[in-house]
Amino acid sequence: MSDSFKDDSASKGPFVGTDFQDEDFREVVSILRERSGFDLDSYKDRCIKRRIASRVRASGLNDSGRYVDLLRSDNSELEALLAVLTIHVSQFFRNPSTYRVLEEKVLPELVAAARGLGERRLRLWSVGCAGGEEPYSLALLLHDMKLDDFEISIIGSDVSEPILEKAQQAEYKAAHLAEVPAPVRQRYFEQIGEDRYRLDPEVRGMVRFQRHNVLADADYPEADLILCRNVMIYFSREEQNKILSRFASTLGRDRFLVLGRAETLMGTAREYFRSEYPVERIYRCQKRPAETAAAECR
């Protein structure tokens, strides 16, 4: 970082989210929208300001105006900020009981339903995939199901290109593998350092990563199962309803949605989903928005 951006305000306390001037915050929102296509307008200001404040402190600054100047002039800082705004804590098989239900109930049902329709495909989407642990966990489950006659599509999406590039490398510290059973770790992970592991290439090849913003992008991938865990908490209730409505459209009847443990359905989303496994926040899609609109017109 250039010395010109260092702050000499030693008398000030650490910069926090409430220190952000409204004008400077609007400028940060504008810069992110124009230069990265990431729109913060629908996110909760308090959560977002806290995360931006962490980057202000990391940059050695104590003033929101000076941080805006840095953001305008330094592309690496723009990428660092985008990563902080979008990343969430993740590890393989996070909330193991959720993956047990997926492995023992949800995935076998989806496979049986596809076979009953004469289809041989399964489509899974991990929204806000961060370092890739979630979609790779799904790939590990499916790899062990021996679905050689199926076309498997697993998409991991995020708004940050650097995060997606890191996910594609599939290299993790041991802490990220804490919930991975020992036999699975021995079979599918190669130790490449004292505290680093690389996922098996065949499993890595089952996952495709793409940049996607559930608020801004019009196209949602078709899916039989969507995992969107610990993402909704950053959106307003209105935006949550919009996203959930679009999930229902891309899923269709009797397909599944998984939310985070702290998330739940509200408003119009309850028309589209019913709780199937309440403790695990796993919901079954019972109708699409178009079906609801058609029923109201009758």
Side-chain angles (χ1 to χ4, degrees):
M1 182 179 68
S2 170
D3 290 341
S4 64
F5 285 109
K6 291 182 180 178
D7 196 8
D8 300 323
S9 304
S11 60
K12 294 183 181 180
F15 189 90
V16 295
T18 53
D19 291 335
F20 239 103
Q21 299 297 314
D22 289 343
E23 182 179 352
D24 293 333
F25 180 68
R26 287 194 295 270
E27 186 63 22
V28 170
V29 172
S30 177
I31 292 170
L32 284 166
R33 184 190 301 116
E34 292 172 6
R35 292 175 55 189
S36 71
F38 186 56
D39 195 339
L40 286 175
D41 283 345
S42 299
Y43 286 72
K44 297 175 182 176
D45 284 0
R46 187 171 60 180
C47 294
I48 292 301
K49 285 182 177 179
R50 282 202 303 265
R51 293 195 172 199
I52 299 175
S54 72
R55 281 305 313 162
V56 176
R57 294 192 298 272
S59 302
L61 302 177
N62 216 332
D63 177 271
S64 59
R66 298 190 71 184
Y67 183 73
V68 169
D69 292 339
L70 173 62
L71 202 60
R72 286 198 192 102
S73 62
D74 190 337
N75 286 331
S76 63
E77 178 57 32
L78 182 66
E79 292 293 350
L81 176 59
L82 190 59
V84 165
L85 292 176
T86 59
I87 197 167
H88 56 268
V89 177
S90 188
Q91 63 180 174
F92 281 84
F93 302 113
R94 187 182 184 194
N95 301 130
S97 61
T98 300
Y99 282 95
R100 278 195 294 273
V101 174
L102 292 175
E103 180 181 20
E104 298 172 5
K105 302 290 186 180
V106 174
L107 291 174
E109 179 180 332
L110 291 174
V111 169
R115 291 192 191 279
L117 294 171
E119 298 179 353
R120 292 292 187 273
R121 66 176 183 177
L122 202 57
R123 302 159 299 182
L124 290 71
W125 179 19
S126 169
V127 181
C129 69
E133 295 93 333
E134 184 173 87
Y136 286 138
S137 295
L138 294 173
L140 286 166
L141 293 182
L142 289 167
H143 191 273
D144 272 356
M145 290 177 69
K146 308 296 184 186
L147 299 173
D148 297 333
D149 60 333
F150 264 66
E151 176 189 342
I152 305 294
S153 170
I154 305 174
I155 293 175
S157 70
D158 206 285
V159 297
S160 171
E161 289 286 2
I163 285 176
L164 292 173
E165 291 172 3
K166 186 175 181 180
Q168 289 173 329
Q169 296 172 8
E171 296 180 7
Y172 302 95
K173 292 185 177 181
H176 291 248
L177 279 61
E179 299 293 348
V180 178
V184 175
R185 182 186 298 200
Q186 292 168 8
R187 180 179 177 186
Y188 291 110
F189 290 88
E190 174 193 5
Q191 188 165 358
I192 58 174
E194 184 177 348
D195 191 44
R196 300 288 294 178
Y197 293 81
R198 182 186 293 123
L199 183 61
D200 177 81
E202 186 174 341
V203 177
R204 292 206 310 264
M206 295 174 66
V207 179
R208 176 167 58 89
F209 292 98
Q210 68 179 51
R211 189 178 186 278
H212 189 277
N213 185 338
V214 290
L215 283 179
D217 293 344
D219 294 331
Y220 276 33
E222 288 190 8
D224 302 299
L225 170 66
I226 295 176
L227 278 71
C228 184
R229 302 196 295 166
N230 308 311
V231 175
M232 292 292 184
I233 54 176
Y234 299 110
F235 301 132
S236 67
R237 187 168 297 182
E238 179 184 359
E239 292 299 334
Q240 288 181 26
N241 280 326
K242 288 181 181 178
I243 293 167
L244 289 166
S245 172
R246 296 178 72 182
F247 282 162
S249 292
T250 198
L251 280 168
R253 283 194 181 190
D254 288 326
R255 302 304 188 257
F256 292 92
L257 169 69
V258 186
L259 299 180
R261 291 289 181 87
E263 299 167 322
T264 189
L265 297 181
M266 296 182 181
T268 57
R270 292 174 178 170
E271 300 175 26
Y272 311 134
F273 297 95
R274 72 170 186 269
S275 180
E276 191 76 7
Y277 301 98
V279 174
E280 308 305 337
R281 296 295 193 270
I282 298 177
Y283 300 87
R284 184 188 295 271
C285 184
Q286 57 186 355
K287 65 172 65 174
R288 290 181 169 182
E291 295 171 350
T292 302
E296 291 173 350
C297 292
R298 287 200 292 266

